[in-house]
Amino acid sequence: MKLPERIKISLTGVWSNKFRSFLTLLGIIIGVSSVIIMVSLGSGTQKVVGGQFEELFSRQVYLTSNWNLPYNQMGELSLDDVDYLKESMIGVVDVIPFFRTWKEVTYEGREYTTSVAGVVEKALEVTNLKLEYGRMISEEDVKNHERVAVVGQRILEQLTGSTDYGSFPGLEIRIENQKFLVVGVLGIAASTVSLSNETVLVPMTTFRDIWRMEGEHPEFFLITYDARTGERDIIKQAEYLLNNKYGTVRGESRFMMSGIESEMNLINNIINIMTMVLGSIAAISLLVGGIGVMNIMLVTVKERTREIGIRKAIGASSQDIQSQFLLEAIILAGGGGLIGILVGVGISSLISLILAMSFEWWQGGTPFWVIFLSFAVTTAIGIIFGFYPAYKASKLDPIEALGYE
Amino acid sequence: MIKAENITKIYGKGEIAVRALHEVSFSVEEGEFVAIMGPSGSGKSTLMNILGCLDTATSGRYILNGTDVSNMSDKELARIRNRKIGFIFQTFNLLPRLTALKNVEQPMIYRGVRKKEREEIAKRVLTEVGLDDRLHHRPNELSGGQRQRVAIARALVNEPDIILADEPTGNLDSKSEEDILNILRELNERGITLVVVTHDYSVAKYAHRIVHFRDGEIVKEERLLQDDGGGSLEVD
Ligand SMILES: Nc1ncnc2c1ncn2[C@@H]1O[C@H](COP(=O)(O)OP(=O)(O)OP(=O)(O)O)[C@@H](O)[C@H]1O
Ligand SMILES: [Mg+2]
């Protein structure tokens, strides 16, 4: 008897109890989708670990006041700290200050309140911001205190009511009644430092001239470092130097620092917990699912005792019967596996989508191996838990089976 | 064709042991039509099951077509049930979820016949038993007589050496009974060996020979001289 024939007979068996089969499979469906979600999310950090990140972007530390402290104890950075850190730290490439304030931007009577950042020319390459049109603020601009601005396209959109981004450079806008010439347009790009296409960049020097109060202290530094130095090391050095200069509050630094590694550690912790929870759910549900398969197969064998007797009477061997019911169990479990794979891939894509919105570096996706593995595992469950019922079916005495009501 | 020697069948053990057959020797020639009669519980079905390789004797030898079946493996027995024997039951024993056509195809699936050929043969045999207009009906959509005809078709498709029928008309009205009997007689006239268990003399009278059972033993054999319809008696 050929395999396709066997499969057909077994499929008929599963199909004749569709709803019951589906209920039985819930355990396996939940188990498999948990595994898929778990592995898919776990793989989201792989790309970063694998070092496939844009080099510079991954090798930077964000330094700012320790917002956990009371206002009067929080550290405040100064421009002197740029050179202080740059000269004292080993492995550092650059320290880039950012000033920031919220201002009203106006153009031809329309206004828009947004974040304005005072930056140096290097700000663009370290922030992952994307210059869509025009040019970035230059070293000259900074040196000469020029009234130029690089403006997020979203702001210009709102101010002009137009989406002809290419025409924006050359416009004259006002930031709190100060005239600025738009020289560049920022496009859409997620950034780690809350600068976006809704930000206005102006030369740091101009910023400090106009807004003396906000220009006194940089809001944050971005410290970039070389490939031989680790994130922990940079954070330790910076913390040590700043603590030395500014002192600590009951042992706690007045500043805080974070890098992509620390951010990733946080995510990794969450993922580890999820992995553990989902892993247990998966293990338990697969076991329950397996027992479900065994249970339903035992019921099926019992219900179909007469069928077994008939099949034996017309020439089925014990082996034929055994493989028929084993195949049914495999189809049942494997079918659950397939549904579980679909559900799992669906849910993890959704979660991945959400994470990708919050974390620039997120690279989630369901690896192929876990799909194959899930399929293999559920098939194995079918074999393991289907074996006993199938064996029991094969050992039925044909006469007794025929007489079964 | 069939040669059973000193067949004893004991069900159960010890106190509750039932001796259903006691040293029964029974043979059937090729092309013969044998009827088995006897009161309820006399061991007729037990013998049929053993002859049909559905059950094995406690002791004794059973030779089918020259081969000793007594010590065969499960697989070999399945093969014999599949190809050499066509079994017809009182309760039809069709697979309820399958159509008449599919039911008749089943033995050929186990024989490994390809789908297209299977369908052709099944249709042909169903047509022979007069069910060409009921191919796609399920058993519960058929009358008792029609069901039994499906069962006969199923017993025939693998061209067995012998057909064993255990009270094939026991669940049927007299009209259906006659239909089924005519089919069986026709089969026998075409050369198929036939053993039929019956309580009904009007069935048995068509046989070449009637074997009477009582308490697990053969108590009497009669040989009938057949001319058209109904036999006259000739006691051995
Ligand atoms: N599985 C079994 N276990 C125990 N005893 C059995 C079993 N099957 C049959 N018997 C006994 O064996 C004896 C013969 O039974 P069998 O079914 O062969 O009778 P039968 O001649 O076919 O009767 P009927 O005409 O009612 O069908 C009976 O006494 C019956 O009780
Ligand atoms: Mg009987």
Side-chain angles (χ1 to χ4, degrees):
Chain A
M1 193 177 171
K2 292 186 195 72
L3 190 64
E5 295 293 351
R6 289 186 193 278
I7 291 175
K8 217 181 272 170
I9 291 179
S10 303
L11 261 177
T12 316
V14 173
W15 199 243
S16 59
N17 282 306
K18 289 182 276 297
F19 187 62
R20 196 173 77 184
S21 303
F22 175 74
L23 286 184
T24 309
L25 294 181
L26 274 180
I28 287 180
I29 292 171
I30 292 169
V32 167
S33 40
S34 306
V35 170
I36 302 258
I37 292 168
M38 190 171 82
V39 172
S40 304
L41 295 190
S43 77
T45 52
Q46 294 292 310
K47 196 146 190 192
V48 185
V49 174
Q52 289 163 34
F53 239 116
E54 281 170 64
E55 285 280 286
L56 192 64
F57 186 50
S58 62
R59 286 204 314 274
Q60 67 181 34
V61 163
Y62 175 77
L63 163 61
T64 189
S65 308
N66 187 349
W67 302 97
N68 297 325
L69 291 175
Y71 189 71
N72 57 349
Q73 295 179 340
M74 241 191 301
E76 285 181 312
L77 292 165
S78 83
L79 264 189
D80 297 339
D81 294 330
V82 172
D83 288 334
Y84 171 52
L85 292 176
K86 221 160 140 180
E87 277 158 23
S88 319
M89 286 168 67
I90 300 163
V92 75
V93 171
D94 213 340
V95 177
I96 297 144
F98 289 81
F99 291 88
R100 201 134 66 134
T101 185
W102 279 78
K103 292 296 172 206
E104 199 168 81
V105 182
T106 51
Y107 173 78
E108 285 183 351
R110 296 206 218 196
E111 52 187 57
Y112 192 81
T113 304
T114 188
S115 113
V116 176
V119 297
V120 291
E121 72 283 354
K122 282 172 288 191
L124 193 68
E125 49 190 81
V126 293
T127 52
N128 204 36
L129 285 170
K130 216 162 86 198
L131 187 69
E132 204 76 22
Y133 296 99
R135 64 171 179 87
M136 176 57 184
I137 286 158
S138 69
E139 209 177 335
E140 292 295 299
D141 294 334
V142 178
K143 205 192 277 171
N144 299 334
H145 300 236
E146 294 290 355
R147 299 268 175 139
V148 292
V150 174
V151 187
Q153 67 180 37
R154 184 104 183 93
I155 301 168
L156 290 167
E157 236 175 82
Q158 296 289 323
L159 288 177
T160 63
S162 148
T163 50
D164 181 12
Y165 307 120
S167 72
F168 293 151
L171 293 183
E172 203 160 76
I173 56 166
R174 282 170 183 274
I175 307 174
E176 214 183 34
N177 290 321
Q178 304 288 331
K179 273 190 200 164
F180 279 86
L181 179 70
V182 176
V183 293
V185 181
L186 293 174
I188 302 167
S191 161
T192 44
V193 289
S194 64
L195 299 174
S196 67
N197 64 339
E198 294 195 55
T199 306
V200 177
L201 306 181
V202 298
M204 179 182 92
T205 46
T206 320
F207 185 101
R208 301 188 72 213
D209 291 346
I210 301 172
W211 300 294
R212 297 207 167 265
M213 210 177 66
E214 295 95 324
E216 206 168 319
H217 301 289
E219 187 188 273
F220 61 89
F221 288 175
L222 282 181
I223 307 173
T224 58
Y225 53 93
D226 61 33
R228 290 185 307 267
T229 316
E231 184 180 302
R232 294 229 62 103
D233 188 18
I234 290 293
I235 290 178
K236 267 201 183 132
Q237 290 187 64
E239 199 171 84
Y240 175 79
L241 290 167
L242 293 170
N243 287 354
N244 251 358
K245 183 171 170 187
Y246 292 98
T248 58
V249 182
R250 288 177 298 277
E252 196 180 341
S253 176
R254 292 177 189 270
F255 300 91
M256 57 186 190
M257 277 146 275
S258 69
I260 205 140
E261 263 177 47
S262 356
E263 221 174 76
M264 255 175 47
N265 282 343
L266 181 76
I267 296 263
N268 273 337
N269 282 343
I270 297 171
I271 285 174
N272 281 345
I273 292 170
M274 270 178 72
T275 303
M276 255 151 49
V277 172
L278 287 176
S280 332
I281 292 177
I284 293 169
S285 5
L286 285 179
L287 184 71
V288 169
I291 294 169
V293 167
M294 171 126 75
N295 181 46
I296 209 73
M297 286 313 295
L298 285 172
V299 171
T300 301
V301 168
K302 188 127 204 151
E303 278 176 356
R304 284 157 60 192
T305 301
R306 210 177 158 83
E307 175 187 333
I308 295 165
I310 294 171
R311 289 192 177 280
K312 283 198 162 181
I314 62 173
S317 64
S318 296
Q319 199 201 328
D320 290 328
I321 299 295
Q322 180 160 5
S323 65
Q324 177 188 338
F325 284 93
L326 195 57
L327 261 174
E328 261 185 47
I330 293 171
I331 289 171
L332 208 57
L338 275 182
I339 300 175
I341 288 169
L342 289 180
V343 172
V345 168
I347 294 180
S348 54
S349 317
L350 208 70
I351 297 180
S352 223
L353 210 69
I354 293 166
L355 281 174
M357 285 191 236
S358 324
F359 302 101
E360 163 74 8
W361 46 268
W362 183 262
Q363 297 282 350
T366 307
F368 266 112
W369 64 262
V370 74
I371 292 176
F372 287 122
L373 182 78
S374 304
F375 198 66
V377 166
T378 48
T379 309
I381 285 175
I383 295 173
I384 293 166
F385 290 93
F387 185 84
Y388 174 67
Y391 176 80
K392 221 175 138 177
S394 76
K395 285 292 163 260
L396 282 175
D397 180 69
I399 301 295
E400 278 172 35
L402 279 170
Y404 187 87
E405 295 304 326
Chain B
M1 165 82 26
I2 274 183
K3 207 165 169 195
E5 293 169 354
N6 302 322
I7 300 283
T8 297
K9 177 72 186 180
I10 298 170
Y11 289 110
K13 279 202 172 80
E15 290 284 291
I16 56 152
V18 175
R19 197 175 65 187
L21 290 175
H22 179 60
E23 303 261 317
V24 171
S25 293
F26 176 79
S27 53
V28 181
E29 300 303 320
E30 194 167 340
E32 208 178 4
F33 176 176
V34 179
I36 296 177
M37 297 190 79
S40 189
S42 56
K44 307 181 294 294
S45 293
T46 305
L47 179 70
M48 289 295 268
N49 292 339
I50 291 170
L51 296 182
C53 294
L54 285 167
D55 204 355
T56 48
T58 311
S59 69
R61 237 151 63 97
Y62 172 26
I63 291 154
L64 177 65
N65 246 351
T67 37
D68 191 343
V69 172
S70 324
N71 298 311
M72 278 193 169
S73 71
D74 173 84
K75 206 164 182 165
E76 290 168 316
L77 287 174
R79 202 182 146 87
I80 286 178
R81 288 197 296 271
N82 185 229
R83 306 192 181 189
K84 308 271 181 217
I85 294 163
F87 217 110
I88 298 166
F89 304 89
Q90 179 175 357
T91 52
F92 323 127
N93 280 332
L94 300 175
L95 294 173
R97 284 190 301 252
L98 303 185
T99 61
L101 191 68
K102 284 279 166 210
N103 261 291
V104 175
E105 277 183 45
Q106 295 303 308
M108 290 186 281
I109 294 180
Y110 291 110
R111 203 178 85 201
V113 181
R114 251 181 283 146
K115 186 173 166 61
K116 208 165 163 283
E117 198 185 342
R118 230 159 57 203
E119 268 177 18
E120 265 166 34
I121 297 175
K123 268 183 202 158
R124 194 192 71 220
V125 179
L126 276 167
T127 308
E128 278 173 28
V129 296
L131 284 178
D132 45 329
D133 55 345
R134 292 286 184 279
L135 298 182
H136 302 290
H137 289 61
R138 287 165 196 238
N140 62 0
E141 298 159 344
L142 296 171
S143 74
Q146 288 168 336
R147 288 182 209 184
Q148 195 61 300
R149 280 189 269 164
V150 175
I152 292 173
R154 182 179 65 185
L156 285 174
V157 282
N158 279 350
E159 293 172 354
D161 296 338
I162 184 161
I163 290 218
L164 303 173
D166 191 350
E167 302 192 44
T169 57
N171 279 12
L172 302 179
D173 60 48
S174 52
K175 170 71 179 67
S176 303
E177 173 174 326
E178 211 174 301
D179 290 345
I180 297 300
L181 269 178
N182 284 333
I183 291 172
L184 290 178
R185 280 175 61 209
E186 224 170 86
L187 289 174
N188 178 244
E189 273 158 24
R190 272 164 41 189
I192 291 177
T193 314
L194 192 57
V195 179
V196 179
V197 171
T198 181
H199 279 129
D200 193 345
Y201 191 77
S202 63
V203 174
K205 69 180 181 196
Y206 293 109
H208 302 134
R209 189 151 60 97
I210 304 177
V211 178
H212 291 269
F213 269 73
R214 174 158 303 161
D215 296 332
E217 292 181 73
I218 295 176
V219 289
K220 193 170 82 171
E221 279 196 37
E222 345 172 32
R223 195 167 288 277
L224 309 178
L225 291 176
Q226 293 293 348
D227 41 62
D228 271 348
S232 59
L233 205 61
E234 183 197 79
V235 184
D236 279 7

PDB file of all heavy atoms in Angstrom, chain A residues 240-261:
ATOM      1  N   TYR A 240      33.930  58.992  35.921  1.00  0.00           N
ATOM      2  CA  TYR A 240      35.005  59.286  36.870  1.00  0.00           C
ATOM      3  C   TYR A 240      35.418  60.750  36.766  1.00  0.00           C
ATOM      4  O   TYR A 240      35.512  61.460  37.761  1.00  0.00           O
ATOM      5  CB  TYR A 240      36.193  58.356  36.586  1.00  0.00           C
ATOM      6  CG  TYR A 240      37.404  58.646  37.423  1.00  0.00           C
ATOM      7  CD1 TYR A 240      37.481  58.197  38.746  1.00  0.00           C
ATOM      8  CD2 TYR A 240      38.470  59.392  36.909  1.00  0.00           C
ATOM      9  CE1 TYR A 240      38.585  58.482  39.528  1.00  0.00           C
ATOM     10  CE2 TYR A 240      39.574  59.684  37.678  1.00  0.00           C
ATOM     11  CZ  TYR A 240      39.634  59.228  38.990  1.00  0.00           C
ATOM     12  OH  TYR A 240      40.721  59.511  39.759  1.00  0.00           O
ATOM     13  N   LEU A 241      35.636  61.211  35.514  1.00  0.00           N
ATOM     14  CA  LEU A 241      36.103  62.580  35.305  1.00  0.00           C
ATOM     15  C   LEU A 241      35.076  63.597  35.786  1.00  0.00           C
ATOM     16  O   LEU A 241      35.420  64.579  36.448  1.00  0.00           O
ATOM     17  CB  LEU A 241      36.405  62.800  33.819  1.00  0.00           C
ATOM     18  CG  LEU A 241      37.629  62.044  33.297  1.00  0.00           C
ATOM     19  CD1 LEU A 241      37.667  62.067  31.783  1.00  0.00           C
ATOM     20  CD2 LEU A 241      38.911  62.642  33.879  1.00  0.00           C
ATOM     21  N   LEU A 242      33.815  63.354  35.468  1.00  0.00           N
ATOM     22  CA  LEU A 242      32.772  64.306  35.855  1.00  0.00           C
ATOM     23  C   LEU A 242      32.545  64.288  37.358  1.00  0.00           C
ATOM     24  O   LEU A 242      32.337  65.341  37.974  1.00  0.00           O
ATOM     25  CB  LEU A 242      31.475  64.002  35.104  1.00  0.00           C
ATOM     26  CG  LEU A 242      31.567  64.262  33.599  1.00  0.00           C
ATOM     27  CD1 LEU A 242      30.347  63.706  32.874  1.00  0.00           C
ATOM     28  CD2 LEU A 242      31.701  65.761  33.320  1.00  0.00           C
ATOM     29  N   ASN A 243      32.614  63.104  37.945  1.00  0.00           N
ATOM     30  CA  ASN A 243      32.459  63.018  39.403  1.00  0.00           C
ATOM     31  C   ASN A 243      33.578  63.779  40.096  1.00  0.00           C
ATOM     32  O   ASN A 243      33.365  64.435  41.113  1.00  0.00           O
ATOM     33  CB  ASN A 243      32.457  61.557  39.868  1.00  0.00           C
ATOM     34  CG  ASN A 243      31.164  60.863  39.494  1.00  0.00           C
ATOM     35  OD1 ASN A 243      30.237  61.505  38.993  1.00  0.00           O
ATOM     36  ND2 ASN A 243      31.109  59.557  39.730  1.00  0.00           N
ATOM     37  N   ASN A 244      34.756  63.672  39.523  1.00  0.00           N
ATOM     38  CA  ASN A 244      35.903  64.382  40.090  1.00  0.00           C
ATOM     39  C   ASN A 244      35.683  65.882  40.053  1.00  0.00           C
ATOM     40  O   ASN A 244      35.962  66.594  41.004  1.00  0.00           O
ATOM     41  CB  ASN A 244      37.156  64.060  39.266  1.00  0.00           C
ATOM     42  CG  ASN A 244      38.087  63.175  40.064  1.00  0.00           C
ATOM     43  OD1 ASN A 244      37.800  62.849  41.213  1.00  0.00           O
ATOM     44  ND2 ASN A 244      39.195  62.799  39.454  1.00  0.00           N
ATOM     45  N   LYS A 245      35.123  66.331  38.934  1.00  0.00           N
ATOM     46  CA  LYS A 245      34.981  67.769  38.746  1.00  0.00           C
ATOM     47  C   LYS A 245      33.776  68.329  39.501  1.00  0.00           C
ATOM     48  O   LYS A 245      33.852  69.379  40.122  1.00  0.00           O
ATOM     49  CB  LYS A 245      34.832  68.055  37.257  1.00  0.00           C
ATOM     50  CG  LYS A 245      34.753  69.529  36.924  1.00  0.00           C
ATOM     51  CD  LYS A 245      34.837  69.754  35.428  1.00  0.00           C
ATOM     52  CE  LYS A 245      34.514  71.225  35.108  1.00  0.00           C
ATOM     53  NZ  LYS A 245      34.418  71.443  33.675  1.00  0.00           N
ATOM     54  N   TYR A 246      32.667  67.579  39.442  1.00  0.00           N
ATOM     55  CA  TYR A 246      31.421  68.121  39.996  1.00  0.00           C
ATOM     56  C   TYR A 246      31.004  67.505  41.328  1.00  0.00           C
ATOM     57  O   TYR A 246      30.064  67.957  41.942  1.00  0.00           O
ATOM     58  CB  TYR A 246      30.274  67.916  38.994  1.00  0.00           C
ATOM     59  CG  TYR A 246      30.409  68.744  37.735  1.00  0.00           C
ATOM     60  CD1 TYR A 246      30.940  68.184  36.586  1.00  0.00           C
ATOM     61  CD2 TYR A 246      30.001  70.084  37.711  1.00  0.00           C
ATOM     62  CE1 TYR A 246      31.072  68.932  35.422  1.00  0.00           C
ATOM     63  CE2 TYR A 246      30.121  70.834  36.558  1.00  0.00           C
ATOM     64  CZ  TYR A 246      30.651  70.270  35.409  1.00  0.00           C
ATOM     65  OH  TYR A 246      30.775  70.998  34.261  1.00  0.00           O
ATOM     66  N   GLY A 247      31.706  66.445  41.746  1.00  0.00           N
ATOM     67  CA  GLY A 247      31.315  65.756  42.970  1.00  0.00           C
ATOM     68  C   GLY A 247      30.082  64.894  42.741  1.00  0.00           C
ATOM     69  O   GLY A 247      29.484  64.920  41.662  1.00  0.00           O
ATOM     70  N   THR A 248      29.719  64.102  43.776  1.00  0.00           N
ATOM     71  CA  THR A 248      28.565  63.219  43.626  1.00  0.00           C
ATOM     72  C   THR A 248      27.506  63.574  44.655  1.00  0.00           C
ATOM     73  O   THR A 248      27.765  64.340  45.581  1.00  0.00           O
ATOM     74  CB  THR A 248      28.970  61.752  43.820  1.00  0.00           C
ATOM     75  OG1 THR A 248      29.556  61.626  45.129  1.00  0.00           O
ATOM     76  CG2 THR A 248      29.992  61.303  42.786  1.00  0.00           C
ATOM     77  N   VAL A 249      26.323  63.033  44.483  1.00  0.00           N
ATOM     78  CA  VAL A 249      25.263  63.219  45.472  1.00  0.00           C
ATOM     79  C   VAL A 249      25.055  61.873  46.157  1.00  0.00           C
ATOM     80  O   VAL A 249      24.529  60.949  45.540  1.00  0.00           O
ATOM     81  CB  VAL A 249      23.958  63.675  44.806  1.00  0.00           C
ATOM     82  CG1 VAL A 249      22.886  63.912  45.854  1.00  0.00           C
ATOM     83  CG2 VAL A 249      24.198  64.914  43.965  1.00  0.00           C
ATOM     84  N   ARG A 250      25.484  61.758  47.385  1.00  0.00           N
ATOM     85  CA  ARG A 250      25.402  60.485  48.121  1.00  0.00           C
ATOM     86  C   ARG A 250      25.875  59.310  47.252  1.00  0.00           C
ATOM     87  O   ARG A 250      25.193  58.302  47.112  1.00  0.00           O
ATOM     88  CB  ARG A 250      23.973  60.219  48.613  1.00  0.00           C
ATOM     89  CG  ARG A 250      23.581  61.143  49.775  1.00  0.00           C
ATOM     90  CD  ARG A 250      22.156  60.920  50.199  1.00  0.00           C
ATOM     91  NE  ARG A 250      21.199  61.200  49.144  1.00  0.00           N
ATOM     92  CZ  ARG A 250      20.750  62.437  48.865  1.00  0.00           C
ATOM     93  NH1 ARG A 250      21.161  63.473  49.537  1.00  0.00           N
ATOM     94  NH2 ARG A 250      19.889  62.607  47.886  1.00  0.00           N
ATOM     95  N   GLY A 251      27.036  59.531  46.645  1.00  0.00           N
ATOM     96  CA  GLY A 251      27.643  58.455  45.853  1.00  0.00           C
ATOM     97  C   GLY A 251      27.099  58.340  44.446  1.00  0.00           C
ATOM     98  O   GLY A 251      27.661  57.634  43.614  1.00  0.00           O
ATOM     99  N   GLU A 252      26.011  59.079  44.161  1.00  0.00           N
ATOM    100  CA  GLU A 252      25.434  58.977  42.827  1.00  0.00           C
ATOM    101  C   GLU A 252      25.937  60.105  41.940  1.00  0.00           C
ATOM    102  O   GLU A 252      26.036  61.254  42.379  1.00  0.00           O
ATOM    103  CB  GLU A 252      23.901  59.043  42.931  1.00  0.00           C
ATOM    104  CG  GLU A 252      23.217  58.568  41.670  1.00  0.00           C
ATOM    105  CD  GLU A 252      21.692  58.628  41.773  1.00  0.00           C
ATOM    106  OE1 GLU A 252      21.177  58.695  42.920  1.00  0.00           O
ATOM    107  OE2 GLU A 252      21.046  58.600  40.723  1.00  0.00           O
ATOM    108  N   SER A 253      26.257  59.751  40.702  1.00  0.00           N
ATOM    109  CA  SER A 253      26.780  60.748  39.779  1.00  0.00           C
ATOM    110  C   SER A 253      25.715  61.780  39.445  1.00  0.00           C
ATOM    111  O   SER A 253      24.529  61.471  39.433  1.00  0.00           O
ATOM    112  CB  SER A 253      27.251  60.069  38.502  1.00  0.00           C
ATOM    113  OG  SER A 253      27.677  61.046  37.583  1.00  0.00           O
ATOM    114  N   ARG A 254      26.174  63.024  39.181  1.00  0.00           N
ATOM    115  CA  ARG A 254      25.234  64.079  38.804  1.00  0.00           C
ATOM    116  C   ARG A 254      24.847  63.988  37.325  1.00  0.00           C
ATOM    117  O   ARG A 254      24.051  64.781  36.847  1.00  0.00           O
ATOM    118  CB  ARG A 254      25.857  65.451  39.070  1.00  0.00           C
ATOM    119  CG  ARG A 254      26.042  65.750  40.549  1.00  0.00           C
ATOM    120  CD  ARG A 254      26.741  67.088  40.703  1.00  0.00           C
ATOM    121  NE  ARG A 254      27.123  67.318  42.097  1.00  0.00           N
ATOM    122  CZ  ARG A 254      26.328  67.924  42.975  1.00  0.00           C
ATOM    123  NH1 ARG A 254      25.147  68.332  42.604  1.00  0.00           N
ATOM    124  NH2 ARG A 254      26.723  68.096  44.220  1.00  0.00           N
ATOM    125  N   PHE A 255      25.472  63.085  36.649  1.00  0.00           N
ATOM    126  CA  PHE A 255      25.200  62.925  35.213  1.00  0.00           C
ATOM    127  C   PHE A 255      24.824  61.479  34.918  1.00  0.00           C
ATOM    128  O   PHE A 255      25.121  60.592  35.702  1.00  0.00           O
ATOM    129  CB  PHE A 255      26.448  63.310  34.407  1.00  0.00           C
ATOM    130  CG  PHE A 255      26.850  64.725  34.641  1.00  0.00           C
ATOM    131  CD1 PHE A 255      27.763  65.048  35.653  1.00  0.00           C
ATOM    132  CD2 PHE A 255      26.295  65.752  33.889  1.00  0.00           C
ATOM    133  CE1 PHE A 255      28.113  66.359  35.896  1.00  0.00           C
ATOM    134  CE2 PHE A 255      26.653  67.074  34.126  1.00  0.00           C
ATOM    135  CZ  PHE A 255      27.563  67.384  35.136  1.00  0.00           C
ATOM    136  N   MET A 256      24.184  61.312  33.810  1.00  0.00           N
ATOM    137  CA  MET A 256      23.961  59.913  33.419  1.00  0.00           C
ATOM    138  C   MET A 256      24.338  59.688  31.965  1.00  0.00           C
ATOM    139  O   MET A 256      24.289  60.595  31.141  1.00  0.00           O
ATOM    140  CB  MET A 256      22.534  59.477  33.696  1.00  0.00           C
ATOM    141  CG  MET A 256      21.460  60.286  33.064  1.00  0.00           C
ATOM    142  SD  MET A 256      19.889  59.642  33.701  1.00  0.00           S
ATOM    143  CE  MET A 256      18.762  60.481  32.653  1.00  0.00           C
ATOM    144  N   MET A 257      24.714  58.463  31.725  1.00  0.00           N
ATOM    145  CA  MET A 257      25.220  58.111  30.405  1.00  0.00           C
ATOM    146  C   MET A 257      24.556  56.836  29.917  1.00  0.00           C
ATOM    147  O   MET A 257      24.282  55.937  30.696  1.00  0.00           O
ATOM    148  CB  MET A 257      26.722  57.858  30.491  1.00  0.00           C
ATOM    149  CG  MET A 257      27.531  59.126  30.421  1.00  0.00           C
ATOM    150  SD  MET A 257      28.989  59.016  31.438  1.00  0.00           S
ATOM    151  CE  MET A 257      28.391  59.497  33.017  1.00  0.00           C
ATOM    152  N   SER A 258      24.344  56.803  28.638  1.00  0.00           N
ATOM    153  CA  SER A 258      23.863  55.530  28.111  1.00  0.00           C
ATOM    154  C   SER A 258      24.347  55.370  26.679  1.00  0.00           C
ATOM    155  O   SER A 258      24.595  56.350  25.980  1.00  0.00           O
ATOM    156  CB  SER A 258      22.345  55.461  28.160  1.00  0.00           C
ATOM    157  OG  SER A 258      21.814  56.375  27.239  1.00  0.00           O
ATOM    158  N   GLY A 259      24.496  54.131  26.293  1.00  0.00           N
ATOM    159  CA  GLY A 259      24.905  53.835  24.921  1.00  0.00           C
ATOM    160  C   GLY A 259      24.003  52.752  24.400  1.00  0.00           C
ATOM    161  O   GLY A 259      23.124  52.260  25.111  1.00  0.00           O
ATOM    162  N   ILE A 260      24.254  52.397  23.188  1.00  0.00           N
ATOM    163  CA  ILE A 260      23.391  51.404  22.574  1.00  0.00           C
ATOM    164  C   ILE A 260      23.491  50.071  23.315  1.00  0.00           C
ATOM    165  O   ILE A 260      22.528  49.332  23.420  1.00  0.00           O
ATOM    166  CB  ILE A 260      23.729  51.262  21.089  1.00  0.00           C
ATOM    167  CG1 ILE A 260      22.502  50.740  20.347  1.00  0.00           C
ATOM    168  CG2 ILE A 260      24.918  50.359  20.860  1.00  0.00           C
ATOM    169  CD1 ILE A 260      22.339  51.399  19.030  1.00  0.00           C
ATOM    170  N   GLU A 261      24.691  49.816  23.884  1.00  0.00           N
ATOM    171  CA  GLU A 261      24.866  48.551  24.603  1.00  0.00           C
ATOM    172  C   GLU A 261      23.974  48.506  25.836  1.00  0.00           C
ATOM    173  O   GLU A 261      23.344  47.488  26.107  1.00  0.00           O
ATOM    174  CB  GLU A 261      26.324  48.375  25.035  1.00  0.00           C
ATOM    175  CG  GLU A 261      27.134  47.521  24.077  1.00  0.00           C
ATOM    176  CD  GLU A 261      28.580  47.437  24.503  1.00  0.00           C
ATOM    177  OE1 GLU A 261      28.833  47.185  25.703  1.00  0.00           O
ATOM    178  OE2 GLU A 261      29.445  47.639  23.638  1.00  0.00           O
TER     179      GLU A 261
END
